[in-house]
């Protein structure tokens, strides 16, 4: 069926406008509904503080602000500059622990 130049194509009758949620979306919904997502966030905060990651990121932010000048830095610039370093410097042990907790949750939720 060709679309008219003046109007968009008519949607198919079997399209109800709502797409099926992806597996990632379903997992996220289950994590939120069960309260597990907040527990995982708190665990992550604790582990990052324990391993010194938070202090390291704070130092990186301060160094970046000193270099650019305090009044010349926006939050967006700071986030853009620090995020790659922050993500890459999360210890593997913290990632593994969180992954294990998520895996256990998924097994218990039978997803």
């Amino acid at each position: 069926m060709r679309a008219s130049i003046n109007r968009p194509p008519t949607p198919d009758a079997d399209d109800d406008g709502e797409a099926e949620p992806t597996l990632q979306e379903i997992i996220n919904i289950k994590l939120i509904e069960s309260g597990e997502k907040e527990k995982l966030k708190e665990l992550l905060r604790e582990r990052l503080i324990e391993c010194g990651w938070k202090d390291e990121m704070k130092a990186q932010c301060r160094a970046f602000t000193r270099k650019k000048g305090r009044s010349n830095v926006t939050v967006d610039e700071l986030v853009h500059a620090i995020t790659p370093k922050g993500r890459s410097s999360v210890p593997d042990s913290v990632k593994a622990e969180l992954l294990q907790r998520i895996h256990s949750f998924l097994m218990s939720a039978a997803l």
Side-chain angles (χ1 to χ4, degrees):
M1 170 159 121
R2 283 185 18 187
S4 168
I5 295 173
N6 298 325
R7 64 182 175 84
T10 306
D12 294 334
D14 53 309
D15 279 351
D16 59 0
E18 293 183 29
E20 289 291 316
T22 64
L23 181 58
Q24 183 177 355
E25 292 168 338
I26 293 169
I27 291 170
N28 192 41
I29 290 167
K30 294 289 184 187
L31 284 168
I32 292 169
E33 287 174 349
S34 67
E36 187 66 18
K37 188 168 185 173
E38 284 304 315
K39 292 176 189 173
L40 289 169
K41 284 174 157 181
E42 188 56 36
L43 176 67
L44 178 60
R45 279 186 204 99
E46 290 172 10
R47 295 299 184 261
L48 292 176
I49 290 169
E50 288 172 4
C51 71
W53 180 91
K54 184 179 176 184
D55 294 332
E56 181 182 332
M57 290 300 100
K58 193 183 294 185
Q60 292 277 332
C61 290
R62 286 187 174 143
F64 182 80
T65 350
R66 266 191 235 111
K67 180 180 160 190
K68 296 276 285 185
R70 189 174 188 185
S71 58
N72 299 327
V73 176
T74 65
V75 172
D76 288 338
E77 287 176 325
L78 186 58
V79 168
H80 183 71
I82 301 301
T83 297
K85 170 72 173 152
R87 286 187 176 156
S88 66
S89 64
V90 174
D92 289 339
S93 60
V94 174
K95 292 177 187 177
E97 183 178 1
L98 281 173
L99 189 59
Q100 180 57 42
R101 289 278 302 261
I102 293 168
H103 181 70
S104 297
F105 169 78
L106 292 175
M107 296 306 285
S108 67
L111 287 177

Tab-separated table of all heavy atoms in Angstrom, residues 16-72:
chain	number	residue	atom	x	y	z
A	16	ASP	N	-2.615	-1.930	17.827
A	16	ASP	CA	-3.413	-1.201	18.819
A	16	ASP	C	-2.644	-0.023	19.393
A	16	ASP	O	-3.091	0.612	20.330
A	16	ASP	CB	-3.907	-2.133	19.927
A	16	ASP	CG	-2.773	-2.819	20.669
A	16	ASP	OD1	-1.602	-2.568	20.331
A	16	ASP	OD2	-3.063	-3.599	21.596
A	17	GLY	N	-1.456	0.271	18.847
A	17	GLY	CA	-0.704	1.428	19.291
A	17	GLY	C	0.221	1.154	20.464
A	17	GLY	O	1.103	1.932	20.746
A	18	GLU	N	0.007	0.067	21.165
A	18	GLU	CA	0.856	-0.257	22.313
A	18	GLU	C	1.755	-1.428	21.967
A	18	GLU	O	1.281	-2.502	21.634
A	18	GLU	CB	-0.001	-0.607	23.527
A	18	GLU	CG	-0.801	0.563	24.052
A	18	GLU	CD	-1.586	0.194	25.304
A	18	GLU	OE1	-1.137	-0.692	26.044
A	18	GLU	OE2	-2.634	0.786	25.506
A	19	ALA	N	3.047	-1.202	22.068
A	19	ALA	CA	4.008	-2.263	21.793
A	19	ALA	C	4.177	-3.125	23.045
A	19	ALA	O	3.992	-2.658	24.167
A	19	ALA	CB	5.340	-1.647	21.387
A	20	GLU	N	4.507	-4.365	22.824
A	20	GLU	CA	4.791	-5.268	23.948
A	20	GLU	C	6.047	-4.783	24.657
A	20	GLU	O	6.997	-4.362	24.008
A	20	GLU	CB	5.019	-6.688	23.431
A	20	GLU	CG	3.768	-7.364	22.930
A	20	GLU	CD	2.807	-7.683	24.056
A	20	GLU	OE1	3.233	-8.165	25.110
A	20	GLU	OE2	1.600	-7.432	23.864
A	21	PRO	N	6.064	-4.823	25.992
A	21	PRO	CA	7.274	-4.394	26.703
A	21	PRO	C	8.430	-5.357	26.437
A	21	PRO	O	8.225	-6.565	26.297
A	21	PRO	CB	6.863	-4.417	28.173
A	21	PRO	CG	5.647	-5.266	28.236
A	21	PRO	CD	5.003	-5.229	26.882
A	22	THR	N	9.627	-4.812	26.382
A	22	THR	CA	10.806	-5.642	26.174
A	22	THR	C	11.137	-6.375	27.473
A	22	THR	O	10.630	-6.027	28.550
A	22	THR	CB	12.018	-4.779	25.769
A	22	THR	OG1	12.331	-3.898	26.855
A	22	THR	CG2	11.736	-3.982	24.504
A	23	LEU	N	12.009	-7.353	27.387
A	23	LEU	CA	12.422	-8.101	28.572
A	23	LEU	C	13.075	-7.162	29.582
A	23	LEU	O	12.821	-7.246	30.786
A	23	LEU	CB	13.383	-9.225	28.195
A	23	LEU	CG	13.873	-10.112	29.339
A	23	LEU	CD1	12.693	-10.766	30.055
A	23	LEU	CD2	14.832	-11.161	28.833
A	24	GLN	N	13.878	-6.238	29.093
A	24	GLN	CA	14.527	-5.275	29.985
A	24	GLN	C	13.484	-4.441	30.720
A	24	GLN	O	13.615	-4.189	31.918
A	24	GLN	CB	15.462	-4.373	29.178
A	24	GLN	CG	16.226	-3.388	30.027
A	24	GLN	CD	17.196	-2.548	29.217
A	24	GLN	OE1	17.373	-2.755	28.018
A	24	GLN	NE2	17.831	-1.601	29.840
A	25	GLU	N	12.440	-4.009	30.021
A	25	GLU	CA	11.380	-3.224	30.662
A	25	GLU	C	10.622	-4.048	31.692
A	25	GLU	O	10.292	-3.549	32.772
A	25	GLU	CB	10.415	-2.677	29.603
A	25	GLU	CG	11.030	-1.628	28.709
A	25	GLU	CD	10.188	-1.282	27.491
A	25	GLU	OE1	9.335	-2.097	27.085
A	25	GLU	OE2	10.387	-0.189	26.949
A	26	ILE	N	10.374	-5.298	31.382
A	26	ILE	CA	9.674	-6.184	32.320
A	26	ILE	C	10.502	-6.377	33.587
A	26	ILE	O	9.982	-6.287	34.706
A	26	ILE	CB	9.363	-7.555	31.658
A	26	ILE	CG1	8.331	-7.376	30.546
A	26	ILE	CG2	8.881	-8.564	32.694
A	26	ILE	CD1	8.155	-8.598	29.670
A	27	ILE	N	11.790	-6.616	33.413
A	27	ILE	CA	12.684	-6.797	34.562
A	27	ILE	C	12.710	-5.533	35.408
A	27	ILE	O	12.617	-5.588	36.637
A	27	ILE	CB	14.107	-7.189	34.096
A	27	ILE	CG1	14.087	-8.590	33.502
A	27	ILE	CG2	15.104	-7.088	35.242
A	27	ILE	CD1	15.364	-8.994	32.796
A	28	ASN	N	12.809	-4.374	34.756
A	28	ASN	CA	12.835	-3.106	35.483
A	28	ASN	C	11.544	-2.917	36.287
A	28	ASN	O	11.589	-2.496	37.447
A	28	ASN	CB	13.047	-1.945	34.513
A	28	ASN	CG	13.363	-0.652	35.220
A	28	ASN	OD1	14.120	-0.626	36.185
A	28	ASN	ND2	12.782	0.425	34.759
A	29	ILE	N	10.413	-3.228	35.693
A	29	ILE	CA	9.124	-3.105	36.391
A	29	ILE	C	9.103	-4.016	37.619
A	29	ILE	O	8.696	-3.604	38.711
A	29	ILE	CB	7.960	-3.433	35.436
A	29	ILE	CG1	7.818	-2.322	34.391
A	29	ILE	CG2	6.655	-3.620	36.201
A	29	ILE	CD1	6.925	-2.681	33.217
A	30	LYS	N	9.552	-5.260	37.455
A	30	LYS	CA	9.566	-6.210	38.578
A	30	LYS	C	10.504	-5.730	39.689
A	30	LYS	O	10.184	-5.857	40.868
A	30	LYS	CB	9.992	-7.606	38.111
A	30	LYS	CG	9.017	-8.265	37.171
A	30	LYS	CD	7.776	-8.678	37.897
A	30	LYS	CE	6.850	-9.432	36.972
A	30	LYS	NZ	5.565	-9.711	37.570
A	31	LEU	N	11.656	-5.194	39.307
A	31	LEU	CA	12.610	-4.681	40.301
A	31	LEU	C	11.992	-3.526	41.090
A	31	LEU	O	12.143	-3.448	42.310
A	31	LEU	CB	13.900	-4.215	39.624
A	31	LEU	CG	14.861	-5.295	39.152
A	31	LEU	CD1	15.934	-4.707	38.257
A	31	LEU	CD2	15.482	-6.029	40.327
A	32	ILE	N	11.293	-2.647	40.403
A	32	ILE	CA	10.670	-1.500	41.068
A	32	ILE	C	9.532	-1.955	41.968
A	32	ILE	O	9.440	-1.548	43.136
A	32	ILE	CB	10.170	-0.471	40.031
A	32	ILE	CG1	11.366	0.175	39.334
A	32	ILE	CG2	9.295	0.594	40.691
A	32	ILE	CD1	11.000	0.998	38.110
A	33	GLU	N	8.641	-2.802	41.434
A	33	GLU	CA	7.477	-3.256	42.201
A	33	GLU	C	7.874	-3.988	43.480
A	33	GLU	O	7.207	-3.862	44.504
A	33	GLU	CB	6.596	-4.174	41.347
A	33	GLU	CG	5.816	-3.451	40.279
A	33	GLU	CD	5.056	-4.401	39.363
A	33	GLU	OE1	5.291	-5.633	39.426
A	33	GLU	OE2	4.228	-3.904	38.579
A	34	SER	N	8.942	-4.739	43.419
A	34	SER	CA	9.356	-5.536	44.579
A	34	SER	C	10.183	-4.721	45.580
A	34	SER	O	10.432	-5.180	46.688
A	34	SER	CB	10.187	-6.731	44.112
A	34	SER	OG	11.415	-6.286	43.579
A	35	GLY	N	10.633	-3.543	45.174
A	35	GLY	CA	11.493	-2.743	46.036
A	35	GLY	C	12.956	-3.140	45.930
A	35	GLY	O	13.820	-2.548	46.592
A	36	GLU	N	13.249	-4.113	45.093
A	36	GLU	CA	14.623	-4.606	44.948
A	36	GLU	C	15.528	-3.564	44.296
A	36	GLU	O	16.716	-3.478	44.610
A	36	GLU	CB	14.640	-5.900	44.134
A	36	GLU	CG	15.978	-6.584	44.076
A	36	GLU	CD	16.463	-7.123	45.424
A	36	GLU	OE1	15.654	-7.284	46.364
A	36	GLU	OE2	17.674	-7.387	45.536
A	37	LYS	N	14.978	-2.735	43.422
A	37	LYS	CA	15.801	-1.736	42.748
A	37	LYS	C	16.393	-0.761	43.760
A	37	LYS	O	17.576	-0.414	43.675
A	37	LYS	CB	14.981	-0.982	41.699
A	37	LYS	CG	15.817	-0.075	40.832
A	37	LYS	CD	15.042	0.436	39.638
A	37	LYS	CE	15.943	1.233	38.728
A	37	LYS	NZ	15.275	1.606	37.480
A	38	GLU	N	15.604	-0.320	44.719
A	38	GLU	CA	16.112	0.593	45.748
A	38	GLU	C	17.173	-0.086	46.607
A	38	GLU	O	18.172	0.527	46.970
A	38	GLU	CB	14.973	1.112	46.628
A	38	GLU	CG	14.138	2.178	45.966
A	38	GLU	CD	14.934	3.385	45.489
A	38	GLU	OE1	15.796	3.880	46.247
A	38	GLU	OE2	14.707	3.821	44.350
A	39	LYS	N	16.968	-1.364	46.915
A	39	LYS	CA	17.966	-2.112	47.696
A	39	LYS	C	19.276	-2.208	46.930
A	39	LYS	O	20.359	-2.075	47.518
A	39	LYS	CB	17.438	-3.506	48.027
A	39	LYS	CG	16.270	-3.517	48.982
A	39	LYS	CD	15.754	-4.935	49.170
A	39	LYS	CE	14.450	-4.965	49.940
A	39	LYS	NZ	13.864	-6.301	49.987
A	40	LEU	N	19.184	-2.464	45.630
A	40	LEU	CA	20.387	-2.571	44.804
A	40	LEU	C	21.113	-1.227	44.712
A	40	LEU	O	22.340	-1.174	44.771
A	40	LEU	CB	20.035	-3.067	43.406
A	40	LEU	CG	19.604	-4.525	43.302
A	40	LEU	CD1	19.033	-4.820	41.919
A	40	LEU	CD2	20.746	-5.469	43.624
A	41	LYS	N	20.359	-0.151	44.592
A	41	LYS	CA	20.969	1.181	44.560
A	41	LYS	C	21.698	1.478	45.864
A	41	LYS	O	22.809	2.019	45.858
A	41	LYS	CB	19.902	2.254	44.334
A	41	LYS	CG	19.387	2.363	42.925
A	41	LYS	CD	18.242	3.372	42.948
A	41	LYS	CE	17.950	4.011	41.665
A	41	LYS	NZ	16.849	4.987	41.756
A	42	GLU	N	21.077	1.131	46.971
A	42	GLU	CA	21.705	1.367	48.274
A	42	GLU	C	22.969	0.519	48.428
A	42	GLU	O	23.992	1.004	48.910
A	42	GLU	CB	20.710	1.066	49.400
A	42	GLU	CG	21.207	1.452	50.770
A	42	GLU	CD	21.616	2.914	50.898
A	42	GLU	OE1	20.980	3.789	50.275
A	42	GLU	OE2	22.600	3.187	51.614
A	43	LEU	N	22.908	-0.737	48.005
A	43	LEU	CA	24.083	-1.603	48.046
A	43	LEU	C	25.210	-1.008	47.197
A	43	LEU	O	26.371	-0.964	47.625
A	43	LEU	CB	23.734	-3.006	47.541
A	43	LEU	CG	24.888	-3.987	47.428
A	43	LEU	CD1	25.449	-4.333	48.808
A	43	LEU	CD2	24.464	-5.244	46.689
A	44	LEU	N	24.866	-0.519	46.014
A	44	LEU	CA	25.867	0.090	45.133
A	44	LEU	C	26.496	1.312	45.800
A	44	LEU	O	27.726	1.457	45.796
A	44	LEU	CB	25.226	0.482	43.802
A	44	LEU	CG	26.135	1.172	42.790
A	44	LEU	CD1	27.315	0.280	42.412
A	44	LEU	CD2	25.340	1.566	41.552
A	45	ARG	N	25.671	2.168	46.388
A	45	ARG	CA	26.205	3.349	47.088
A	45	ARG	C	27.196	2.936	48.181
A	45	ARG	O	28.285	3.494	48.288
A	45	ARG	CB	25.067	4.150	47.731
A	45	ARG	CG	24.336	5.048	46.807
A	45	ARG	CD	23.310	5.914	47.554
A	45	ARG	NE	22.268	6.327	46.651
A	45	ARG	CZ	21.076	5.751	46.533
A	45	ARG	NH1	20.722	4.751	47.309
A	45	ARG	NH2	20.193	6.189	45.649
A	46	GLU	N	26.813	1.960	48.986
A	46	GLU	CA	27.674	1.497	50.085
A	46	GLU	C	29.003	0.969	49.563
A	46	GLU	O	30.064	1.319	50.084
A	46	GLU	CB	26.965	0.406	50.883
A	46	GLU	CG	25.797	0.891	51.712
A	46	GLU	CD	25.015	-0.264	52.337
A	46	GLU	OE1	25.485	-1.426	52.285
A	46	GLU	OE2	23.919	-0.003	52.869
A	47	ARG	N	28.935	0.114	48.540
A	47	ARG	CA	30.159	-0.502	48.010
A	47	ARG	C	31.078	0.542	47.364
A	47	ARG	O	32.299	0.460	47.490
A	47	ARG	CB	29.829	-1.592	46.982
A	47	ARG	CG	29.094	-2.782	47.557
A	47	ARG	CD	29.913	-3.478	48.636
A	47	ARG	NE	29.242	-4.665	49.111
A	47	ARG	CZ	28.525	-4.728	50.231
A	47	ARG	NH1	28.401	-3.668	50.999
A	47	ARG	NH2	27.951	-5.855	50.597
A	48	LEU	N	30.496	1.528	46.683
A	48	LEU	CA	31.329	2.547	46.048
A	48	LEU	C	31.999	3.441	47.076
A	48	LEU	O	33.134	3.879	46.879
A	48	LEU	CB	30.493	3.379	45.061
A	48	LEU	CG	30.019	2.631	43.816
A	48	LEU	CD1	29.121	3.523	42.971
A	48	LEU	CD2	31.187	2.105	42.997
A	49	ILE	N	31.333	3.688	48.174
A	49	ILE	CA	31.946	4.467	49.259
A	49	ILE	C	33.058	3.653	49.909
A	49	ILE	O	34.167	4.154	50.144
A	49	ILE	CB	30.884	4.900	50.294
A	49	ILE	CG1	29.962	5.962	49.689
A	49	ILE	CG2	31.546	5.429	51.564
A	49	ILE	CD1	28.722	6.270	50.517
A	50	GLU	N	32.773	2.361	50.192
A	50	GLU	CA	33.754	1.482	50.844
A	50	GLU	C	35.054	1.364	50.055
A	50	GLU	O	36.140	1.339	50.632
A	50	GLU	CB	33.172	0.078	51.034
A	50	GLU	CG	32.118	-0.027	52.102
A	50	GLU	CD	31.431	-1.385	52.113
A	50	GLU	OE1	31.824	-2.295	51.341
A	50	GLU	OE2	30.472	-1.542	52.892
A	51	CYS	N	34.945	1.279	48.722
A	51	CYS	CA	36.153	1.070	47.917
A	51	CYS	C	36.857	2.375	47.549
A	51	CYS	O	37.892	2.352	46.887
A	51	CYS	CB	35.817	0.275	46.652
A	51	CYS	SG	34.877	1.197	45.425
A	52	GLY	N	36.317	3.511	47.957
A	52	GLY	CA	36.969	4.790	47.695
A	52	GLY	C	36.611	5.414	46.354
A	52	GLY	O	37.149	6.456	45.986
A	53	TRP	N	35.702	4.803	45.626
A	53	TRP	CA	35.310	5.313	44.314
A	53	TRP	C	34.695	6.704	44.421
A	53	TRP	O	35.009	7.588	43.622
A	53	TRP	CB	34.315	4.335	43.678
A	53	TRP	CG	33.833	4.729	42.320
A	53	TRP	CD1	34.386	4.392	41.126
A	53	TRP	CD2	32.681	5.535	42.010
A	53	TRP	NE1	33.655	4.931	40.097
A	53	TRP	CE2	32.595	5.638	40.618
A	53	TRP	CE3	31.710	6.174	42.778
A	53	TRP	CZ2	31.596	6.347	39.966
A	53	TRP	CZ3	30.706	6.881	42.135
A	53	TRP	CH2	30.654	6.964	40.753
A	54	LYS	N	33.840	6.905	45.416
A	54	LYS	CA	33.169	8.198	45.572
A	54	LYS	C	34.196	9.308	45.803
A	54	LYS	O	34.110	10.380	45.195
A	54	LYS	CB	32.164	8.144	46.725
A	54	LYS	CG	31.369	9.416	46.892
A	54	LYS	CD	30.372	9.312	48.018
A	54	LYS	CE	29.646	10.622	48.231
A	54	LYS	NZ	28.752	10.591	49.372
A	55	ASP	N	35.164	9.067	46.670
A	55	ASP	CA	36.202	10.070	46.937
A	55	ASP	C	37.039	10.352	45.691
A	55	ASP	O	37.410	11.500	45.422
A	55	ASP	CB	37.103	9.616	48.086
A	55	ASP	CG	36.351	9.555	49.409
A	55	ASP	OD1	35.376	10.310	49.578
A	55	ASP	OD2	36.748	8.741	50.278
A	56	GLU	N	37.317	9.303	44.927
A	56	GLU	CA	38.091	9.461	43.697
A	56	GLU	C	37.326	10.332	42.688
A	56	GLU	O	37.902	11.221	42.063
A	56	GLU	CB	38.368	8.083	43.085
A	56	GLU	CG	39.191	8.125	41.825
A	56	GLU	CD	39.391	6.735	41.222
A	56	GLU	OE1	39.371	5.739	41.977
A	56	GLU	OE2	39.539	6.671	40.002
A	57	MET	N	36.031	10.105	42.569
A	57	MET	CA	35.218	10.904	41.650
A	57	MET	C	35.103	12.357	42.119
A	57	MET	O	35.132	13.286	41.318
A	57	MET	CB	33.817	10.303	41.490
A	57	MET	CG	33.771	8.999	40.725
A	57	MET	SD	34.406	9.149	39.037
A	57	MET	CE	36.058	8.512	39.206
A	58	LYS	N	35.021	12.528	43.430
A	58	LYS	CA	34.968	13.885	43.983
A	58	LYS	C	36.254	14.633	43.648
A	58	LYS	O	36.226	15.805	43.255
A	58	LYS	CB	34.773	13.814	45.501
A	58	LYS	CG	34.386	15.136	46.133
A	58	LYS	CD	34.269	15.035	47.635
A	58	LYS	CE	33.134	14.149	48.071
A	58	LYS	NZ	32.943	14.140	49.540
A	59	ALA	N	37.388	13.958	43.771
A	59	ALA	CA	38.682	14.566	43.451
A	59	ALA	C	38.767	14.901	41.962
A	59	ALA	O	39.290	15.961	41.581
A	59	ALA	CB	39.815	13.625	43.855
A	60	GLN	N	38.257	14.008	41.113
A	60	GLN	CA	38.248	14.256	39.666
A	60	GLN	C	37.419	15.501	39.340
A	60	GLN	O	37.808	16.329	38.527
A	60	GLN	CB	37.653	13.054	38.922
A	60	GLN	CG	38.494	11.818	38.962
A	60	GLN	CD	39.579	11.840	37.913
A	60	GLN	OE1	39.435	12.459	36.866
A	60	GLN	NE2	40.678	11.170	38.200
A	61	CYS	N	36.265	15.626	40.000
A	61	CYS	CA	35.395	16.791	39.786
A	61	CYS	C	36.090	18.079	40.217
A	61	CYS	O	36.038	19.091	39.512
A	61	CYS	CB	34.076	16.630	40.547
A	61	CYS	SG	32.997	15.368	39.863
A	62	ARG	N	36.734	18.026	41.363
A	62	ARG	CA	37.439	19.215	41.850
A	62	ARG	C	38.578	19.609	40.915
A	62	ARG	O	38.775	20.788	40.628
A	62	ARG	CB	37.964	18.973	43.260
A	62	ARG	CG	36.863	19.005	44.285
A	62	ARG	CD	37.407	18.936	45.689
A	62	ARG	NE	36.310	19.113	46.630
A	62	ARG	CZ	36.207	18.473	47.770
A	62	ARG	NH1	37.142	17.622	48.145
A	62	ARG	NH2	35.178	18.677	48.558
A	63	ALA	N	39.315	18.625	40.437
A	63	ALA	CA	40.428	18.904	39.524
A	63	ALA	C	39.912	19.516	38.221
A	63	ALA	O	40.494	20.480	37.701
A	63	ALA	CB	41.201	17.620	39.231
A	64	PHE	N	38.815	18.978	37.708
A	64	PHE	CA	38.241	19.503	36.471
A	64	PHE	C	37.784	20.948	36.659
A	64	PHE	O	38.016	21.804	35.816
A	64	PHE	CB	37.062	18.624	36.020
A	64	PHE	CG	36.440	19.055	34.733
A	64	PHE	CD1	37.006	18.723	33.517
A	64	PHE	CD2	35.260	19.801	34.725
A	64	PHE	CE1	36.433	19.126	32.322
A	64	PHE	CE2	34.674	20.212	33.543
A	64	PHE	CZ	35.266	19.874	32.339
A	65	THR	N	37.146	21.230	37.807
A	65	THR	CA	36.643	22.589	38.074
A	65	THR	C	37.800	23.560	38.263
A	65	THR	O	37.713	24.698	37.805
A	65	THR	CB	35.760	22.639	39.329
A	65	THR	OG1	35.453	21.358	39.805
A	65	THR	CG2	34.475	23.316	39.077
A	66	ARG	N	38.853	23.124	38.918
A	66	ARG	CA	40.017	23.998	39.094
A	66	ARG	C	40.641	24.330	37.743
A	66	ARG	O	41.033	25.466	37.484
A	66	ARG	CB	41.062	23.322	39.976
A	66	ARG	CG	40.932	23.711	41.425
A	66	ARG	CD	42.123	23.242	42.254
A	66	ARG	NE	41.581	22.443	43.347
A	66	ARG	CZ	41.714	21.134	43.486
A	66	ARG	NH1	42.422	20.443	42.620
A	66	ARG	NH2	41.174	20.500	44.495
A	67	LYS	N	40.750	23.314	36.899
A	67	LYS	CA	41.376	23.478	35.591
A	67	LYS	C	40.582	24.453	34.702
A	67	LYS	O	41.162	25.312	34.046
A	67	LYS	CB	41.474	22.116	34.903
A	67	LYS	CG	42.093	22.134	33.540
A	67	LYS	CD	42.137	20.725	32.986
A	67	LYS	CE	42.284	20.751	31.477
A	67	LYS	NZ	42.097	19.442	30.893
A	68	LYS	N	39.255	24.319	34.689
A	68	LYS	CA	38.412	25.158	33.831
A	68	LYS	C	38.058	26.503	34.473
A	68	LYS	O	37.647	27.416	33.768
A	68	LYS	CB	37.099	24.423	33.508
A	68	LYS	CG	37.251	23.163	32.701
A	68	LYS	CD	37.325	23.441	31.232
A	68	LYS	CE	35.956	23.782	30.714
A	68	LYS	NZ	35.881	23.952	29.291
A	69	GLY	N	38.190	26.593	35.761
A	69	GLY	CA	37.753	27.803	36.467
A	69	GLY	C	36.352	27.578	37.005
A	69	GLY	O	35.461	27.193	36.263
A	70	ARG	N	36.202	27.817	38.263
A	70	ARG	CA	34.953	27.497	38.956
A	70	ARG	C	33.713	28.096	38.294
A	70	ARG	O	32.681	27.451	38.175
A	70	ARG	CB	35.056	27.950	40.406
A	70	ARG	CG	33.926	27.495	41.261
A	70	ARG	CD	34.180	27.851	42.691
A	70	ARG	NE	33.164	27.245	43.531
A	70	ARG	CZ	33.058	27.452	44.806
A	70	ARG	NH1	33.906	28.233	45.412
A	70	ARG	NH2	32.109	26.867	45.494
A	71	SER	N	33.820	29.327	37.853
A	71	SER	CA	32.650	29.991	37.271
A	71	SER	C	32.448	29.638	35.794
A	71	SER	O	31.458	30.031	35.197
A	71	SER	CB	32.772	31.501	37.434
A	71	SER	OG	33.951	31.953	36.810
A	72	ASN	N	33.382	28.893	35.215
A	72	ASN	CA	33.290	28.537	33.797
A	72	ASN	C	32.817	27.112	33.551
A	72	ASN	O	32.862	26.634	32.423
A	72	ASN	CB	34.656	28.722	33.120
A	72	ASN	CG	35.139	30.142	33.183
A	72	ASN	OD1	34.342	31.077	33.154
A	72	ASN	ND2	36.441	30.316	33.294
